Amino acid sequence: MSIAQRIRDLGFELPAVVPPVASYVPAVSSGRLVFTSGQLPMVDGALPRTGKVGSEVSADEATADARQCALNALAAIDAEIGSLDRITRIVKVVGFVASAEGFHGQPGVINGASNLLGEIFGDAGKHARSAVGVAELPLGAPVEVEVIAEFA
């Protein structure tokens, strides 16, 4: 089964690549690795919500946003390497969570991205990861995710 079909079977669609909001490209490959720029949880060109997790945004909403970030990262990877079927391993995920003071649930929020990648790629979706709380993210986004993947 293709990765695109697997994504559909999980109830999601691979979105269009989110256009950059500054001077960068969505993804770059080097050797057998592809690196995404930080992906915001854009849906149809807009953020579904803004604010800090733990105040204006709930942890559950932010977890869903992290999942959308992962889908946006996969779209960028697909455009860069031509097919998600070429991915042999998700190597690393870095997640940033715009956190209200006292919010310590960053790992749980970024599980939205990690769990989706595991569901899509199985064992090849297991990865190293960082989940970092930050004061602010671009455009007021609650979550931003980067993905590094190996491909053949």
Side-chain angles (χ1 to χ4, degrees), residues 53-117:
V53 182
S55 58
E56 301 94 351
V57 178
S58 74
D60 287 342
E61 289 171 320
T63 300
D65 288 343
R67 186 173 45 244
Q68 184 63 45
C69 291
L71 288 168
N72 291 345
L74 291 177
I77 291 170
D78 184 65
E80 175 67 14
I81 67 171
S83 172
L84 294 178
D85 294 325
R86 295 183 64 196
I87 292 177
T88 57
R89 176 145 198 124
I90 301 298
V91 176
K92 185 161 186 181
V93 170
V94 180
F96 303 95
V97 180
S99 301
E101 187 173 338
F103 180 76
H104 303 287
Q106 294 85 4
V109 167
I110 302 305
N111 279 348
S114 293
N115 292 345
L116 179 65
L117 294 168

Short mmCIF file of all heavy atoms in Angstrom, two decimals, residues 53-117:
data_model
loop_
_atom_site.label_atom_id
_atom_site.label_comp_id
_atom_site.label_asym_id
_atom_site.label_seq_id
_atom_site.Cartn_x
_atom_site.Cartn_y
_atom_site.Cartn_z
N VAL A 53 -0.42 27.70 24.22
CA VAL A 53 -0.98 26.47 24.76
C VAL A 53 -0.95 26.56 26.28
O VAL A 53 0.05 26.96 26.88
CB VAL A 53 -0.19 25.24 24.26
CG1 VAL A 53 -0.82 23.95 24.78
CG2 VAL A 53 -0.12 25.24 22.74
N GLY A 54 -2.07 26.23 26.87
CA GLY A 54 -2.20 26.34 28.31
C GLY A 54 -2.96 27.58 28.74
O GLY A 54 -3.26 27.74 29.91
N SER A 55 -3.27 28.45 27.77
CA SER A 55 -4.14 29.60 28.07
C SER A 55 -5.19 29.69 26.98
O SER A 55 -6.27 29.15 27.12
CB SER A 55 -3.35 30.90 28.25
OG SER A 55 -2.58 31.20 27.11
N GLU A 56 -4.88 30.31 25.83
CA GLU A 56 -5.88 30.47 24.76
C GLU A 56 -6.14 29.18 23.98
O GLU A 56 -7.18 29.02 23.36
CB GLU A 56 -5.45 31.54 23.75
CG GLU A 56 -5.23 32.91 24.32
CD GLU A 56 -3.78 33.17 24.69
OE1 GLU A 56 -2.96 32.24 24.67
OE2 GLU A 56 -3.49 34.33 25.01
N VAL A 57 -5.18 28.27 23.97
CA VAL A 57 -5.27 27.03 23.19
C VAL A 57 -5.14 25.84 24.15
O VAL A 57 -4.22 25.81 24.97
CB VAL A 57 -4.15 26.97 22.12
CG1 VAL A 57 -4.20 25.66 21.35
CG2 VAL A 57 -4.26 28.16 21.17
N SER A 58 -6.06 24.89 24.03
CA SER A 58 -5.99 23.71 24.91
C SER A 58 -4.91 22.74 24.42
O SER A 58 -4.51 22.79 23.24
CB SER A 58 -7.34 22.99 24.94
OG SER A 58 -7.56 22.29 23.71
N ALA A 59 -4.48 21.88 25.30
CA ALA A 59 -3.49 20.86 24.91
C ALA A 59 -4.05 19.96 23.82
O ALA A 59 -3.31 19.58 22.89
CB ALA A 59 -3.08 20.05 26.13
N ASP A 60 -5.33 19.62 23.88
CA ASP A 60 -5.93 18.78 22.84
C ASP A 60 -5.94 19.48 21.48
O ASP A 60 -5.66 18.86 20.45
CB ASP A 60 -7.35 18.37 23.21
CG ASP A 60 -7.38 17.33 24.32
OD1 ASP A 60 -6.36 16.66 24.58
OD2 ASP A 60 -8.46 17.17 24.95
N GLU A 61 -6.28 20.77 21.47
CA GLU A 61 -6.24 21.53 20.21
C GLU A 61 -4.82 21.59 19.67
O GLU A 61 -4.60 21.43 18.46
CB GLU A 61 -6.76 22.95 20.43
CG GLU A 61 -8.25 23.04 20.69
CD GLU A 61 -8.69 24.43 21.11
OE1 GLU A 61 -7.97 25.08 21.90
OE2 GLU A 61 -9.77 24.85 20.64
N ALA A 62 -3.86 21.82 20.54
CA ALA A 62 -2.46 21.90 20.11
C ALA A 62 -1.96 20.56 19.59
O ALA A 62 -1.17 20.51 18.64
CB ALA A 62 -1.59 22.39 21.26
N THR A 63 -2.42 19.47 20.18
CA THR A 63 -2.04 18.13 19.70
C THR A 63 -2.56 17.92 18.28
O THR A 63 -1.84 17.40 17.42
CB THR A 63 -2.57 17.05 20.66
OG1 THR A 63 -2.01 17.28 21.96
CG2 THR A 63 -2.21 15.66 20.19
N ALA A 64 -3.78 18.34 18.02
CA ALA A 64 -4.32 18.28 16.66
C ALA A 64 -3.53 19.18 15.72
O ALA A 64 -3.28 18.81 14.56
CB ALA A 64 -5.80 18.67 16.65
N ASP A 65 -3.10 20.34 16.20
CA ASP A 65 -2.27 21.23 15.39
C ASP A 65 -0.93 20.58 15.06
O ASP A 65 -0.43 20.71 13.93
CB ASP A 65 -2.04 22.56 16.11
CG ASP A 65 -3.28 23.43 16.17
OD1 ASP A 65 -4.23 23.18 15.41
OD2 ASP A 65 -3.28 24.37 16.99
N ALA A 66 -0.34 19.88 16.02
CA ALA A 66 0.94 19.19 15.76
C ALA A 66 0.76 18.12 14.69
O ALA A 66 1.63 17.94 13.83
CB ALA A 66 1.48 18.58 17.05
N ARG A 67 -0.37 17.44 14.71
CA ARG A 67 -0.67 16.45 13.67
C ARG A 67 -0.75 17.13 12.30
O ARG A 67 -0.20 16.64 11.31
CB ARG A 67 -1.97 15.73 14.01
CG ARG A 67 -2.30 14.60 13.08
CD ARG A 67 -3.50 13.78 13.53
NE ARG A 67 -4.62 14.59 13.97
CZ ARG A 67 -5.11 14.60 15.22
NH1 ARG A 67 -4.57 13.87 16.16
NH2 ARG A 67 -6.14 15.37 15.52
N GLN A 68 -1.40 18.30 12.24
CA GLN A 68 -1.48 19.03 10.97
C GLN A 68 -0.09 19.48 10.52
O GLN A 68 0.22 19.45 9.32
CB GLN A 68 -2.41 20.23 11.10
CG GLN A 68 -2.62 20.98 9.79
CD GLN A 68 -3.29 20.11 8.73
OE1 GLN A 68 -4.27 19.42 9.01
NE2 GLN A 68 -2.76 20.13 7.52
N CYS A 69 0.73 19.91 11.46
CA CYS A 69 2.11 20.29 11.12
C CYS A 69 2.83 19.12 10.46
O CYS A 69 3.57 19.29 9.48
CB CYS A 69 2.88 20.72 12.36
SG CYS A 69 2.37 22.27 13.11
N ALA A 70 2.65 17.91 11.01
CA ALA A 70 3.31 16.73 10.44
C ALA A 70 2.81 16.46 9.03
O ALA A 70 3.60 16.13 8.13
CB ALA A 70 3.08 15.50 11.33
N LEU A 71 1.51 16.60 8.80
CA LEU A 71 0.98 16.43 7.45
C LEU A 71 1.56 17.46 6.50
O LEU A 71 1.92 17.15 5.35
CB LEU A 71 -0.56 16.52 7.46
CG LEU A 71 -1.29 15.33 8.07
CD1 LEU A 71 -2.75 15.67 8.31
CD2 LEU A 71 -1.14 14.09 7.19
N ASN A 72 1.69 18.71 6.96
CA ASN A 72 2.28 19.75 6.13
C ASN A 72 3.74 19.45 5.84
O ASN A 72 4.23 19.70 4.73
CB ASN A 72 2.12 21.11 6.80
CG ASN A 72 0.67 21.57 6.82
OD1 ASN A 72 -0.19 21.04 6.12
ND2 ASN A 72 0.38 22.55 7.66
N ALA A 73 4.45 18.89 6.82
CA ALA A 73 5.85 18.50 6.60
C ALA A 73 5.92 17.39 5.56
O ALA A 73 6.80 17.40 4.68
CB ALA A 73 6.48 18.05 7.91
N LEU A 74 5.01 16.43 5.63
CA LEU A 74 5.01 15.34 4.63
C LEU A 74 4.72 15.89 3.24
O LEU A 74 5.30 15.41 2.26
CB LEU A 74 4.00 14.27 5.02
CG LEU A 74 4.37 13.45 6.26
CD1 LEU A 74 3.25 12.46 6.59
CD2 LEU A 74 5.70 12.72 6.07
N ALA A 75 3.86 16.88 3.14
CA ALA A 75 3.60 17.50 1.82
C ALA A 75 4.86 18.14 1.28
O ALA A 75 5.17 18.02 0.08
CB ALA A 75 2.48 18.53 1.94
N ALA A 76 5.62 18.82 2.15
CA ALA A 76 6.87 19.45 1.72
C ALA A 76 7.89 18.39 1.29
O ALA A 76 8.59 18.56 0.29
CB ALA A 76 7.43 20.32 2.84
N ILE A 77 7.96 17.29 2.03
CA ILE A 77 8.87 16.20 1.68
C ILE A 77 8.48 15.58 0.35
O ILE A 77 9.32 15.34 -0.51
CB ILE A 77 8.91 15.15 2.80
CG1 ILE A 77 9.60 15.74 4.04
CG2 ILE A 77 9.61 13.88 2.34
CD1 ILE A 77 9.48 14.88 5.29
N ASP A 78 7.20 15.32 0.18
CA ASP A 78 6.70 14.74 -1.06
C ASP A 78 7.09 15.61 -2.26
O ASP A 78 7.56 15.10 -3.28
CB ASP A 78 5.18 14.59 -0.97
CG ASP A 78 4.59 13.90 -2.18
OD1 ASP A 78 4.89 12.72 -2.41
OD2 ASP A 78 3.81 14.58 -2.90
N ALA A 79 6.92 16.91 -2.12
CA ALA A 79 7.27 17.83 -3.21
C ALA A 79 8.78 17.84 -3.47
O ALA A 79 9.22 17.97 -4.62
CB ALA A 79 6.78 19.24 -2.90
N GLU A 80 9.57 17.68 -2.44
CA GLU A 80 11.03 17.72 -2.57
C GLU A 80 11.60 16.45 -3.20
O GLU A 80 12.47 16.51 -4.06
CB GLU A 80 11.68 17.97 -1.20
CG GLU A 80 13.19 17.91 -1.19
CD GLU A 80 13.89 19.02 -1.95
OE1 GLU A 80 13.25 20.04 -2.30
OE2 GLU A 80 15.09 18.86 -2.22
N ILE A 81 11.10 15.27 -2.77
CA ILE A 81 11.72 14.02 -3.24
C ILE A 81 10.85 13.25 -4.24
O ILE A 81 11.27 12.23 -4.75
CB ILE A 81 12.12 13.11 -2.07
CG1 ILE A 81 10.90 12.59 -1.29
CG2 ILE A 81 13.11 13.83 -1.15
CD1 ILE A 81 11.22 11.53 -0.25
N GLY A 82 9.65 13.74 -4.50
CA GLY A 82 8.83 13.16 -5.56
C GLY A 82 7.82 12.12 -5.12
O GLY A 82 6.86 11.86 -5.84
N SER A 83 8.03 11.50 -3.97
CA SER A 83 7.07 10.50 -3.49
C SER A 83 7.39 10.15 -2.05
O SER A 83 8.55 9.88 -1.70
CB SER A 83 7.13 9.22 -4.33
OG SER A 83 6.33 8.21 -3.73
N LEU A 84 6.37 10.09 -1.22
CA LEU A 84 6.56 9.66 0.17
C LEU A 84 6.93 8.19 0.26
O LEU A 84 7.47 7.75 1.27
CB LEU A 84 5.30 9.94 0.98
CG LEU A 84 4.94 11.41 1.18
CD1 LEU A 84 3.64 11.55 1.96
CD2 LEU A 84 6.07 12.17 1.87
N ASP A 85 6.68 7.45 -0.80
CA ASP A 85 7.06 6.03 -0.82
C ASP A 85 8.57 5.85 -0.80
O ASP A 85 9.06 4.76 -0.50
CB ASP A 85 6.47 5.32 -2.04
CG ASP A 85 4.95 5.27 -1.97
OD1 ASP A 85 4.40 5.13 -0.85
OD2 ASP A 85 4.31 5.37 -3.02
N ARG A 86 9.32 6.90 -1.07
CA ARG A 86 10.79 6.82 -1.04
C ARG A 86 11.34 6.93 0.39
O ARG A 86 12.51 6.66 0.62
CB ARG A 86 11.39 7.94 -1.89
CG ARG A 86 11.08 7.78 -3.38
CD ARG A 86 11.75 8.85 -4.20
NE ARG A 86 13.21 8.73 -4.11
CZ ARG A 86 14.07 9.69 -4.45
NH1 ARG A 86 13.63 10.84 -4.94
NH2 ARG A 86 15.36 9.50 -4.33
N ILE A 87 10.51 7.34 1.35
CA ILE A 87 10.98 7.48 2.73
C ILE A 87 11.29 6.10 3.30
O ILE A 87 10.46 5.20 3.26
CB ILE A 87 9.95 8.22 3.60
CG1 ILE A 87 9.83 9.67 3.15
CG2 ILE A 87 10.32 8.14 5.09
CD1 ILE A 87 8.79 10.47 3.90
N THR A 88 12.49 5.97 3.85
CA THR A 88 12.89 4.72 4.50
C THR A 88 12.87 4.84 6.02
O THR A 88 12.83 3.83 6.71
CB THR A 88 14.30 4.29 4.04
OG1 THR A 88 15.23 5.35 4.32
CG2 THR A 88 14.31 3.96 2.56
N ARG A 89 12.92 6.06 6.53
CA ARG A 89 12.89 6.28 7.97
C ARG A 89 12.61 7.75 8.29
O ARG A 89 13.14 8.63 7.63
CB ARG A 89 14.21 5.90 8.59
CG ARG A 89 14.29 6.19 10.06
CD ARG A 89 15.10 5.16 10.79
NE ARG A 89 14.76 5.26 12.19
CZ ARG A 89 14.31 4.27 12.91
NH1 ARG A 89 14.15 3.10 12.37
NH2 ARG A 89 14.05 4.43 14.18
N ILE A 90 11.78 7.96 9.29
CA ILE A 90 11.68 9.29 9.89
C ILE A 90 12.80 9.33 10.93
O ILE A 90 12.83 8.51 11.85
CB ILE A 90 10.30 9.52 10.55
CG1 ILE A 90 9.16 9.36 9.53
CG2 ILE A 90 10.25 10.90 11.21
CD1 ILE A 90 9.19 10.33 8.37
N VAL A 91 13.73 10.24 10.76
CA VAL A 91 14.92 10.27 11.61
C VAL A 91 14.69 11.11 12.87
O VAL A 91 14.99 10.67 13.97
CB VAL A 91 16.13 10.82 10.81
CG1 VAL A 91 17.36 10.95 11.70
CG2 VAL A 91 16.41 9.95 9.59
N LYS A 92 14.16 12.32 12.69
CA LYS A 92 13.99 13.21 13.84
C LYS A 92 12.83 14.15 13.63
O LYS A 92 12.56 14.60 12.52
CB LYS A 92 15.25 14.03 14.10
CG LYS A 92 15.14 14.87 15.36
CD LYS A 92 16.45 15.34 15.90
CE LYS A 92 16.20 16.03 17.24
NZ LYS A 92 17.39 16.54 17.83
N VAL A 93 12.16 14.45 14.73
CA VAL A 93 11.10 15.45 14.77
C VAL A 93 11.49 16.47 15.84
O VAL A 93 11.91 16.09 16.94
CB VAL A 93 9.74 14.80 15.13
CG1 VAL A 93 8.68 15.85 15.42
CG2 VAL A 93 9.28 13.87 14.01
N VAL A 94 11.36 17.73 15.49
CA VAL A 94 11.57 18.81 16.45
C VAL A 94 10.27 19.59 16.52
O VAL A 94 9.76 20.05 15.49
CB VAL A 94 12.74 19.74 16.04
CG1 VAL A 94 12.91 20.85 17.06
CG2 VAL A 94 14.03 18.95 15.87
N GLY A 95 9.73 19.70 17.72
CA GLY A 95 8.47 20.41 17.91
C GLY A 95 8.62 21.58 18.84
O GLY A 95 9.30 21.48 19.88
N PHE A 96 8.02 22.69 18.47
CA PHE A 96 8.02 23.90 19.27
C PHE A 96 6.58 24.20 19.69
O PHE A 96 5.69 24.18 18.85
CB PHE A 96 8.58 25.08 18.47
CG PHE A 96 9.96 24.83 17.94
CD1 PHE A 96 10.14 24.35 16.65
CD2 PHE A 96 11.08 25.06 18.73
CE1 PHE A 96 11.41 24.12 16.14
CE2 PHE A 96 12.35 24.83 18.23
CZ PHE A 96 12.53 24.36 16.94
N VAL A 97 6.39 24.49 20.95
CA VAL A 97 5.06 24.76 21.48
C VAL A 97 5.07 26.15 22.13
O VAL A 97 5.83 26.38 23.08
CB VAL A 97 4.64 23.70 22.52
CG1 VAL A 97 3.24 23.99 23.06
CG2 VAL A 97 4.71 22.29 21.90
N ALA A 98 4.27 27.06 21.60
CA ALA A 98 4.12 28.38 22.23
C ALA A 98 3.38 28.14 23.54
O ALA A 98 2.19 27.80 23.54
CB ALA A 98 3.35 29.32 21.31
N SER A 99 4.09 28.30 24.64
CA SER A 99 3.58 27.84 25.93
C SER A 99 3.27 28.99 26.89
O SER A 99 4.10 29.89 27.07
CB SER A 99 4.63 26.94 26.59
OG SER A 99 4.91 25.82 25.77
N ALA A 100 2.10 28.91 27.49
CA ALA A 100 1.76 29.84 28.56
C ALA A 100 2.63 29.52 29.77
O ALA A 100 3.09 28.38 29.93
CB ALA A 100 0.28 29.70 28.91
N GLU A 101 2.83 30.49 30.60
CA GLU A 101 3.61 30.26 31.82
C GLU A 101 2.98 29.13 32.61
O GLU A 101 1.76 29.07 32.79
CB GLU A 101 3.64 31.54 32.66
CG GLU A 101 4.56 31.43 33.85
CD GLU A 101 4.73 32.73 34.58
OE1 GLU A 101 4.49 33.80 33.98
OE2 GLU A 101 5.10 32.68 35.75
N GLY A 102 3.81 28.19 33.03
CA GLY A 102 3.34 27.06 33.81
C GLY A 102 2.91 25.86 33.00
O GLY A 102 2.62 24.81 33.57
N PHE A 103 2.85 25.97 31.67
CA PHE A 103 2.47 24.82 30.84
C PHE A 103 3.70 23.94 30.64
O PHE A 103 4.74 24.40 30.18
CB PHE A 103 1.92 25.26 29.48
CG PHE A 103 1.51 24.09 28.62
CD1 PHE A 103 0.34 23.39 28.89
CD2 PHE A 103 2.32 23.66 27.59
CE1 PHE A 103 -0.02 22.28 28.12
CE2 PHE A 103 1.97 22.57 26.81
CZ PHE A 103 0.80 21.88 27.09
N HIS A 104 3.56 22.66 31.00
CA HIS A 104 4.69 21.73 30.93
C HIS A 104 4.36 20.50 30.07
O HIS A 104 5.07 19.50 30.15
CB HIS A 104 5.10 21.27 32.33
CG HIS A 104 5.46 22.40 33.23
ND1 HIS A 104 6.62 23.12 33.10
CD2 HIS A 104 4.79 22.95 34.27
CE1 HIS A 104 6.66 24.06 34.02
NE2 HIS A 104 5.55 23.99 34.74
N GLY A 105 3.34 20.58 29.26
CA GLY A 105 2.90 19.43 28.48
C GLY A 105 3.41 19.37 27.06
O GLY A 105 2.76 18.77 26.20
N GLN A 106 4.55 19.98 26.78
CA GLN A 106 5.07 20.01 25.42
C GLN A 106 5.23 18.61 24.80
O GLN A 106 4.84 18.41 23.65
CB GLN A 106 6.41 20.77 25.36
CG GLN A 106 6.30 22.25 25.66
CD GLN A 106 6.33 22.56 27.15
OE1 GLN A 106 6.50 21.69 27.99
NE2 GLN A 106 6.17 23.84 27.48
N PRO A 107 5.77 17.63 25.54
CA PRO A 107 5.90 16.30 24.93
C PRO A 107 4.57 15.71 24.48
O PRO A 107 4.47 15.12 23.40
CB PRO A 107 6.55 15.47 26.03
CG PRO A 107 7.32 16.46 26.85
CD PRO A 107 6.43 17.69 26.85
N GLY A 108 3.53 15.89 25.29
CA GLY A 108 2.22 15.37 24.91
C GLY A 108 1.66 16.04 23.68
O GLY A 108 1.04 15.39 22.82
N VAL A 109 1.88 17.35 23.55
CA VAL A 109 1.42 18.07 22.37
C VAL A 109 2.11 17.54 21.12
O VAL A 109 1.46 17.24 20.11
CB VAL A 109 1.66 19.59 22.52
CG1 VAL A 109 1.49 20.32 21.20
CG2 VAL A 109 0.73 20.17 23.58
N ILE A 110 3.42 17.40 21.17
CA ILE A 110 4.17 16.96 19.98
C ILE A 110 3.91 15.49 19.67
O ILE A 110 4.14 15.04 18.55
CB ILE A 110 5.67 17.29 20.14
CG1 ILE A 110 5.85 18.80 20.36
CG2 ILE A 110 6.47 16.85 18.91
CD1 ILE A 110 5.20 19.69 19.28
N ASN A 111 3.34 14.75 20.62
CA ASN A 111 2.89 13.38 20.31
C ASN A 111 1.89 13.38 19.15
O ASN A 111 1.77 12.38 18.44
CB ASN A 111 2.25 12.72 21.52
CG ASN A 111 3.28 12.15 22.47
OD1 ASN A 111 4.46 12.03 22.17
ND2 ASN A 111 2.81 11.79 23.66
N GLY A 112 1.18 14.49 18.95
CA GLY A 112 0.27 14.56 17.81
C GLY A 112 0.99 14.30 16.50
O GLY A 112 0.50 13.57 15.63
N ALA A 113 2.18 14.87 16.35
CA ALA A 113 3.00 14.63 15.15
C ALA A 113 3.63 13.25 15.19
O ALA A 113 3.56 12.49 14.22
CB ALA A 113 4.08 15.71 15.03
N SER A 114 4.24 12.91 16.32
CA SER A 114 4.96 11.64 16.42
C SER A 114 4.04 10.44 16.23
O SER A 114 4.38 9.49 15.52
CB SER A 114 5.65 11.54 17.78
OG SER A 114 6.68 12.49 17.88
N ASN A 115 2.88 10.48 16.87
CA ASN A 115 1.96 9.34 16.75
C ASN A 115 1.46 9.17 15.32
O ASN A 115 1.35 8.04 14.82
CB ASN A 115 0.79 9.49 17.72
CG ASN A 115 1.22 9.36 19.16
OD1 ASN A 115 2.32 8.90 19.47
ND2 ASN A 115 0.36 9.79 20.07
N LEU A 116 1.17 10.28 14.65
CA LEU A 116 0.72 10.18 13.26
C LEU A 116 1.81 9.58 12.38
O LEU A 116 1.53 8.69 11.57
CB LEU A 116 0.30 11.55 12.72
CG LEU A 116 -0.17 11.52 11.26
CD1 LEU A 116 -1.45 10.70 11.11
CD2 LEU A 116 -0.37 12.93 10.74
N LEU A 117 3.04 10.03 12.55
CA LEU A 117 4.14 9.48 11.74
C LEU A 117 4.32 7.99 12.02
O LEU A 117 4.59 7.21 11.09
CB LEU A 117 5.43 10.25 12.00
CG LEU A 117 5.39 11.71 11.52
CD1 LEU A 117 6.58 12.48 12.06
CD2 LEU A 117 5.33 11.78 10.00
#
